[in-house]
Amino acid sequence: MTAAQPRGSLLRGRWIDDWRPEDESFWQSTGKRIARRNLWISVLSEHIGFSIWSLWSVLVLFMPESTYHIDTAGKFFLVSVPTLVGSVLRLPYTMAVAVFGGRNWTIISAALLLIPSILAAIVMHPGTSYTTFIIVAIFAGVGGGNFASSMTNINAFFPEKAKGAALGINAGGGNLGVAVVQLLGLLIIATAGTGAPRILLGIYIPLIVVAVVCSALFMDNLSSVRNYTGALKEATRDAQTWIISFLYIGTFGSFIGYSFAFGLVLQNQFGRTPLQAAAVTFIGPLLGSLIRPVGGWLSDRIGGTRVTFWNFVAMAVASLICIGASAIDSLALFTAGFVLLFITSGIGNGSVYKMIPAVFRTKALAASEGRGWDQEAALLWARRTSGAVIGIAGAIGAFGGLLINLAFRSSFQATKSGTPAFWSFVAFYAVCFVVTYLVYMRRATAATDPTTGRRMSYAEV
């Protein structure tokens, strides 16, 4: 069998036994082409997964209170439910790649998206009980799990030098699903009105089938990922896992939380109609998604730690802009501040995910120098552990989206304004940039990169 030649039938799965992305000759001759093919199909499936995960943030725009009898607090809670379920599912989804194979699990996870889509098409009409809506929204959480398995899978395909850009493209393309489903919702409300939510579901059901078929035909499983089954347990014992996961609450938690809440905030704080809100809500997720690969690309060049630190400073400033705009009742300034939050959360998503493999690789190389570990074994440990951390951080980060929606819910219940929630966000971002500085920018841990011969510290990763 030649290097990187898939074995197995279409039904049993396409497995690649020989995968050496850090071998430059292998990467240039064979690996890059295969990795990119898997990346683009992964983006397609993850993109649709994000759309289904954020589906209820759009469907609530089709649910006027006078018709569906669900108040603002009820709608915030409704859109929070998929966030919670998706965050919980990210842990088993991460390990599913090692159990089933990346290609095989992508087929399964994409097919599961049919369940919330079909159920929503059945129940979306006035007279359906609030409990029924909650139950159906729970199933939409499967779309959130797709991100973790997709990122873990793609992380295994690419060499260290290309991980920042590859993970950024994969995540950014997936994140775009939030903006696209909101834009489609806008077009439907503008043309058919708020009484036609099933048109949106009629668009996504066949797209899910396309994603399943493309995953089966064009993706591959890596046999080496089978060795990752114990990585989750190892990762939970490492303090770096929890520090990075905390930082990811600040970036991805913000992105998904604001994506779900933006339309409701505009309606309830500035009196926008569903159509007026929908005309704006897709802009933030769109820009945040498009710029995420830039965060990864920038981190590849100047270091994820530096990008992450200054990005949290910018997120705190953007929150203060929203607070100031609320005080003077300026919709234009508020929208600008909110969109800036999306942009900075997108950059931070890319930089924090670049930090994950880089931090563990630096740690492994330092251990091979200081403790006499075999360098090859140390790098294998870093690859296995970082794949698990990607899933853990994704799960905990997504939980931040729930916290943001609950913060807005409490804020509007108490004051009819989102200002108290924004003050809590400012405080959290301040803690995040302090943690980034103390843990990574001041740490002296360093190791020699065997590829370049340079001494690398956490501040450079």
Side-chain angles (χ1 to χ4, degrees), residues 187-220:
L187 294 175
I188 293 168
I189 291 174
T191 55
T194 58
R198 289 186 178 88
I199 295 176
L200 181 65
L201 299 161
I203 293 171
Y204 274 97
I205 290 172
L207 287 177
I208 294 169
V209 175
V210 170
V212 172
V213 173
C214 288
S215 300
L217 293 176
F218 303 115
M219 292 191 74
D220 304 290

mmCIF file of all heavy atoms in Angstrom, residues 187-220:
data_model
loop_
_atom_site.group_PDB
_atom_site.id
_atom_site.type_symbol
_atom_site.label_atom_id
_atom_site.label_comp_id
_atom_site.label_asym_id
_atom_site.label_seq_id
_atom_site.Cartn_x
_atom_site.Cartn_y
_atom_site.Cartn_z
ATOM 1 N N LEU A 187 -34.588 37.229 4.577
ATOM 2 C CA LEU A 187 -35.174 37.215 3.232
ATOM 3 C C LEU A 187 -36.591 36.640 3.253
ATOM 4 O O LEU A 187 -37.483 37.132 2.563
ATOM 5 C CB LEU A 187 -34.292 36.402 2.291
ATOM 6 C CG LEU A 187 -32.900 36.984 2.009
ATOM 7 C CD1 LEU A 187 -32.075 36.030 1.159
ATOM 8 C CD2 LEU A 187 -33.016 38.345 1.319
ATOM 9 N N ILE A 188 -36.797 35.617 4.074
ATOM 10 C CA ILE A 188 -38.130 34.998 4.150
ATOM 11 C C ILE A 188 -39.121 35.938 4.824
ATOM 12 O O ILE A 188 -40.255 36.108 4.366
ATOM 13 C CB ILE A 188 -38.050 33.650 4.887
ATOM 14 C CG1 ILE A 188 -37.250 32.650 4.042
ATOM 15 C CG2 ILE A 188 -39.447 33.099 5.166
ATOM 16 C CD1 ILE A 188 -36.866 31.388 4.783
ATOM 17 N N ILE A 189 -38.708 36.578 5.932
ATOM 18 C CA ILE A 189 -39.600 37.527 6.613
ATOM 19 C C ILE A 189 -39.947 38.694 5.693
ATOM 20 O O ILE A 189 -41.089 39.162 5.642
ATOM 21 C CB ILE A 189 -38.946 38.036 7.908
ATOM 22 C CG1 ILE A 189 -38.865 36.911 8.944
ATOM 23 C CG2 ILE A 189 -39.732 39.213 8.490
ATOM 24 C CD1 ILE A 189 -38.095 37.282 10.194
ATOM 25 N N ALA A 190 -38.950 39.168 4.922
ATOM 26 C CA ALA A 190 -39.165 40.308 4.025
ATOM 27 C C ALA A 190 -40.097 39.969 2.868
ATOM 28 O O ALA A 190 -40.831 40.834 2.380
ATOM 29 C CB ALA A 190 -37.828 40.805 3.490
ATOM 30 N N THR A 191 -40.071 38.722 2.413
ATOM 31 C CA THR A 191 -40.851 38.356 1.227
ATOM 32 C C THR A 191 -42.144 37.611 1.545
ATOM 33 O O THR A 191 -43.162 37.811 0.882
ATOM 34 C CB THR A 191 -40.006 37.481 0.275
ATOM 35 O OG1 THR A 191 -39.518 36.336 1.000
ATOM 36 C CG2 THR A 191 -38.821 38.266 -0.267
ATOM 37 N N ALA A 192 -42.095 36.752 2.547
ATOM 38 C CA ALA A 192 -43.272 35.923 2.855
ATOM 39 C C ALA A 192 -43.901 36.251 4.196
ATOM 40 O O ALA A 192 -44.979 35.740 4.511
ATOM 41 C CB ALA A 192 -42.888 34.442 2.802
ATOM 42 N N GLY A 193 -43.219 37.056 5.020
ATOM 43 C CA GLY A 193 -43.761 37.428 6.318
ATOM 44 C C GLY A 193 -43.394 36.464 7.429
ATOM 45 O O GLY A 193 -42.764 35.427 7.190
ATOM 46 N N THR A 194 -43.828 36.800 8.640
ATOM 47 C CA THR A 194 -43.468 35.980 9.799
ATOM 48 C C THR A 194 -44.284 34.701 9.895
ATOM 49 O O THR A 194 -44.046 33.877 10.781
ATOM 50 C CB THR A 194 -43.662 36.784 11.101
ATOM 51 O OG1 THR A 194 -45.026 37.228 11.180
ATOM 52 C CG2 THR A 194 -42.720 37.980 11.141
ATOM 53 N N GLY A 195 -45.223 34.509 8.993
ATOM 54 C CA GLY A 195 -46.045 33.299 9.032
ATOM 55 C C GLY A 195 -45.511 32.160 8.207
ATOM 56 O O GLY A 195 -46.217 31.155 8.021
ATOM 57 N N ALA A 196 -44.265 32.283 7.706
ATOM 58 C CA ALA A 196 -43.744 31.237 6.813
ATOM 59 C C ALA A 196 -42.402 30.666 7.264
ATOM 60 O O ALA A 196 -41.453 30.577 6.477
ATOM 61 C CB ALA A 196 -43.616 31.808 5.396
ATOM 62 N N PRO A 197 -42.283 30.225 8.516
ATOM 63 C CA PRO A 197 -40.997 29.695 8.977
ATOM 64 C C PRO A 197 -40.610 28.374 8.323
ATOM 65 O O PRO A 197 -39.421 28.019 8.267
ATOM 66 C CB PRO A 197 -41.218 29.508 10.483
ATOM 67 C CG PRO A 197 -42.696 29.300 10.622
ATOM 68 C CD PRO A 197 -43.306 30.196 9.592
ATOM 69 N N ARG A 198 -41.592 27.627 7.809
ATOM 70 C CA ARG A 198 -41.289 26.320 7.225
ATOM 71 C C ARG A 198 -40.478 26.437 5.934
ATOM 72 O O ARG A 198 -39.822 25.468 5.521
ATOM 73 C CB ARG A 198 -42.577 25.542 6.971
ATOM 74 C CG ARG A 198 -43.265 25.063 8.249
ATOM 75 C CD ARG A 198 -44.459 24.163 7.924
ATOM 76 N NE ARG A 198 -45.094 23.659 9.135
ATOM 77 C CZ ARG A 198 -46.057 24.284 9.792
ATOM 78 N NH1 ARG A 198 -46.491 25.473 9.343
ATOM 79 N NH2 ARG A 198 -46.588 23.767 10.864
ATOM 80 N N ILE A 199 -40.524 27.601 5.301
ATOM 81 C CA ILE A 199 -39.699 27.788 4.095
ATOM 82 C C ILE A 199 -38.225 27.641 4.462
ATOM 83 O O ILE A 199 -37.447 27.010 3.729
ATOM 84 C CB ILE A 199 -39.959 29.172 3.463
ATOM 85 C CG1 ILE A 199 -41.392 29.267 2.963
ATOM 86 C CG2 ILE A 199 -38.964 29.431 2.314
ATOM 87 C CD1 ILE A 199 -41.756 30.634 2.404
ATOM 88 N N LEU A 200 -37.839 28.205 5.607
ATOM 89 C CA LEU A 200 -36.448 28.116 6.067
ATOM 90 C C LEU A 200 -36.046 26.662 6.276
ATOM 91 O O LEU A 200 -34.962 26.235 5.852
ATOM 92 C CB LEU A 200 -36.292 28.906 7.369
ATOM 93 C CG LEU A 200 -34.887 28.942 7.984
ATOM 94 C CD1 LEU A 200 -33.920 29.681 7.068
ATOM 95 C CD2 LEU A 200 -34.929 29.617 9.357
ATOM 96 N N LEU A 201 -36.906 25.885 6.888
ATOM 97 C CA LEU A 201 -36.604 24.477 7.144
ATOM 98 C C LEU A 201 -36.588 23.679 5.848
ATOM 99 O O LEU A 201 -35.810 22.736 5.702
ATOM 100 C CB LEU A 201 -37.631 23.916 8.128
ATOM 101 C CG LEU A 201 -37.611 24.642 9.483
ATOM 102 C CD1 LEU A 201 -38.889 24.396 10.252
ATOM 103 C CD2 LEU A 201 -36.408 24.212 10.289
ATOM 104 N N GLY A 202 -37.433 24.076 4.898
ATOM 105 C CA GLY A 202 -37.445 23.403 3.602
ATOM 106 C C GLY A 202 -36.161 23.608 2.824
ATOM 107 O O GLY A 202 -35.814 22.792 1.950
ATOM 108 N N ILE A 203 -35.439 24.667 3.122
ATOM 109 C CA ILE A 203 -34.140 24.913 2.477
ATOM 110 C C ILE A 203 -33.071 24.015 3.081
ATOM 111 O O ILE A 203 -32.234 23.440 2.365
ATOM 112 C CB ILE A 203 -33.738 26.391 2.623
ATOM 113 C CG1 ILE A 203 -34.691 27.284 1.819
ATOM 114 C CG2 ILE A 203 -32.284 26.616 2.182
ATOM 115 C CD1 ILE A 203 -34.498 28.771 2.067
ATOM 116 N N TYR A 204 -33.095 23.853 4.413
ATOM 117 C CA TYR A 204 -32.008 23.154 5.087
ATOM 118 C C TYR A 204 -32.100 21.632 5.029
ATOM 119 O O TYR A 204 -31.067 20.950 5.030
ATOM 120 C CB TYR A 204 -31.898 23.624 6.540
ATOM 121 C CG TYR A 204 -31.041 24.854 6.645
ATOM 122 C CD1 TYR A 204 -31.615 26.117 6.689
ATOM 123 C CD2 TYR A 204 -29.651 24.759 6.633
ATOM 124 C CE1 TYR A 204 -30.824 27.260 6.739
ATOM 125 C CE2 TYR A 204 -28.862 25.887 6.683
ATOM 126 C CZ TYR A 204 -29.447 27.130 6.733
ATOM 127 O OH TYR A 204 -28.663 28.252 6.767
ATOM 128 N N ILE A 205 -33.276 21.077 4.979
ATOM 129 C CA ILE A 205 -33.388 19.613 4.975
ATOM 130 C C ILE A 205 -32.655 18.986 3.780
ATOM 131 O O ILE A 205 -31.853 18.064 3.957
ATOM 132 C CB ILE A 205 -34.865 19.189 5.048
ATOM 133 C CG1 ILE A 205 -35.410 19.523 6.447
ATOM 134 C CG2 ILE A 205 -35.021 17.696 4.744
ATOM 135 C CD1 ILE A 205 -36.904 19.339 6.602
ATOM 136 N N PRO A 206 -32.847 19.464 2.535
ATOM 137 C CA PRO A 206 -32.061 18.884 1.430
ATOM 138 C C PRO A 206 -30.570 19.197 1.519
ATOM 139 O O PRO A 206 -29.736 18.380 1.084
ATOM 140 C CB PRO A 206 -32.685 19.508 0.170
ATOM 141 C CG PRO A 206 -33.431 20.702 0.636
ATOM 142 C CD PRO A 206 -33.886 20.396 2.021
ATOM 143 N N LEU A 207 -30.201 20.350 2.083
ATOM 144 C CA LEU A 207 -28.784 20.668 2.237
ATOM 145 C C LEU A 207 -28.099 19.685 3.186
ATOM 146 O O LEU A 207 -26.926 19.318 2.991
ATOM 147 C CB LEU A 207 -28.613 22.091 2.755
ATOM 148 C CG LEU A 207 -28.891 23.223 1.764
ATOM 149 C CD1 LEU A 207 -28.745 24.582 2.460
ATOM 150 C CD2 LEU A 207 -27.956 23.144 0.571
ATOM 151 N N ILE A 208 -28.809 19.253 4.217
ATOM 152 C CA ILE A 208 -28.256 18.265 5.137
ATOM 153 C C ILE A 208 -27.973 16.958 4.400
ATOM 154 O O ILE A 208 -26.928 16.326 4.599
ATOM 155 C CB ILE A 208 -29.229 18.027 6.310
ATOM 156 C CG1 ILE A 208 -29.342 19.297 7.170
ATOM 157 C CG2 ILE A 208 -28.773 16.842 7.160
ATOM 158 C CD1 ILE A 208 -30.470 19.246 8.185
ATOM 159 N N VAL A 209 -28.885 16.557 3.534
ATOM 160 C CA VAL A 209 -28.680 15.339 2.746
ATOM 161 C C VAL A 209 -27.442 15.475 1.863
ATOM 162 O O VAL A 209 -26.639 14.532 1.736
ATOM 163 C CB VAL A 209 -29.931 15.030 1.893
ATOM 164 C CG1 VAL A 209 -29.684 13.832 0.984
ATOM 165 C CG2 VAL A 209 -31.141 14.772 2.797
ATOM 166 N N VAL A 210 -27.244 16.641 1.258
ATOM 167 C CA VAL A 210 -26.057 16.881 0.429
ATOM 168 C C VAL A 210 -24.787 16.734 1.266
ATOM 169 O O VAL A 210 -23.796 16.120 0.828
ATOM 170 C CB VAL A 210 -26.117 18.286 -0.207
ATOM 171 C CG1 VAL A 210 -24.781 18.644 -0.864
ATOM 172 C CG2 VAL A 210 -27.238 18.352 -1.237
ATOM 173 N N ALA A 211 -24.785 17.279 2.480
ATOM 174 C CA ALA A 211 -23.608 17.183 3.347
ATOM 175 C C ALA A 211 -23.296 15.730 3.700
ATOM 176 O O ALA A 211 -22.123 15.327 3.743
ATOM 177 C CB ALA A 211 -23.836 17.993 4.622
ATOM 178 N N VAL A 212 -24.323 14.940 3.959
ATOM 179 C CA VAL A 212 -24.125 13.520 4.282
ATOM 180 C C VAL A 212 -23.483 12.790 3.100
ATOM 181 O O VAL A 212 -22.513 12.039 3.264
ATOM 182 C CB VAL A 212 -25.465 12.855 4.656
ATOM 183 C CG1 VAL A 212 -25.296 11.348 4.792
ATOM 184 C CG2 VAL A 212 -26.004 13.434 5.951
ATOM 185 N N VAL A 213 -23.999 13.030 1.920
ATOM 186 C CA VAL A 213 -23.480 12.349 0.719
ATOM 187 C C VAL A 213 -22.040 12.774 0.428
ATOM 188 O O VAL A 213 -21.174 11.934 0.145
ATOM 189 C CB VAL A 213 -24.393 12.640 -0.488
ATOM 190 C CG1 VAL A 213 -23.769 12.094 -1.773
ATOM 191 C CG2 VAL A 213 -25.771 12.018 -0.276
ATOM 192 N N CYS A 214 -21.750 14.060 0.507
ATOM 193 C CA CYS A 214 -20.389 14.540 0.242
ATOM 194 C C CYS A 214 -19.392 13.991 1.258
ATOM 195 O O CYS A 214 -18.257 13.644 0.908
ATOM 196 C CB CYS A 214 -20.364 16.070 0.258
ATOM 197 S SG CYS A 214 -21.148 16.842 -1.170
ATOM 198 N N SER A 215 -19.799 13.897 2.514
ATOM 199 C CA SER A 215 -18.914 13.344 3.543
ATOM 200 C C SER A 215 -18.587 11.892 3.242
ATOM 201 O O SER A 215 -17.444 11.453 3.406
ATOM 202 C CB SER A 215 -19.569 13.452 4.924
ATOM 203 O OG SER A 215 -19.835 14.795 5.251
ATOM 204 N N ALA A 216 -19.582 11.150 2.797
ATOM 205 C CA ALA A 216 -19.366 9.736 2.479
ATOM 206 C C ALA A 216 -18.451 9.554 1.270
ATOM 207 O O ALA A 216 -17.620 8.654 1.239
ATOM 208 C CB ALA A 216 -20.715 9.055 2.222
ATOM 209 N N LEU A 217 -18.572 10.427 0.298
ATOM 210 C CA LEU A 217 -17.825 10.257 -0.955
ATOM 211 C C LEU A 217 -16.404 10.810 -0.906
ATOM 212 O O LEU A 217 -15.502 10.254 -1.553
ATOM 213 C CB LEU A 217 -18.578 10.935 -2.106
ATOM 214 C CG LEU A 217 -19.923 10.330 -2.512
ATOM 215 C CD1 LEU A 217 -20.569 11.176 -3.593
ATOM 216 C CD2 LEU A 217 -19.733 8.894 -2.997
ATOM 217 N N PHE A 218 -16.168 11.873 -0.157
ATOM 218 C CA PHE A 218 -14.912 12.603 -0.306
ATOM 219 C C PHE A 218 -14.035 12.704 0.948
ATOM 220 O O PHE A 218 -12.917 13.205 0.860
ATOM 221 C CB PHE A 218 -15.203 14.022 -0.810
ATOM 222 C CG PHE A 218 -15.955 14.062 -2.107
ATOM 223 C CD1 PHE A 218 -17.239 14.586 -2.162
ATOM 224 C CD2 PHE A 218 -15.397 13.542 -3.267
ATOM 225 C CE1 PHE A 218 -17.947 14.613 -3.351
ATOM 226 C CE2 PHE A 218 -16.096 13.562 -4.465
ATOM 227 C CZ PHE A 218 -17.383 14.097 -4.512
ATOM 228 N N MET A 219 -14.497 12.236 2.089
ATOM 229 C CA MET A 219 -13.690 12.349 3.299
ATOM 230 C C MET A 219 -12.964 11.035 3.623
ATOM 231 O O MET A 219 -13.275 9.989 3.068
ATOM 232 C CB MET A 219 -14.558 12.779 4.494
ATOM 233 C CG MET A 219 -15.082 14.194 4.384
ATOM 234 S SD MET A 219 -15.840 14.802 5.926
ATOM 235 C CE MET A 219 -14.374 15.084 6.932
ATOM 236 N N ASP A 220 -11.984 11.121 4.525
ATOM 237 C CA ASP A 220 -11.178 9.960 4.920
ATOM 238 C C ASP A 220 -11.103 9.854 6.437
ATOM 239 O O ASP A 220 -11.255 10.848 7.158
ATOM 240 C CB ASP A 220 -9.749 10.086 4.371
ATOM 241 C CG ASP A 220 -9.715 10.254 2.866
ATOM 242 O OD1 ASP A 220 -10.026 9.286 2.150
ATOM 243 O OD2 ASP A 220 -9.375 11.373 2.405
#
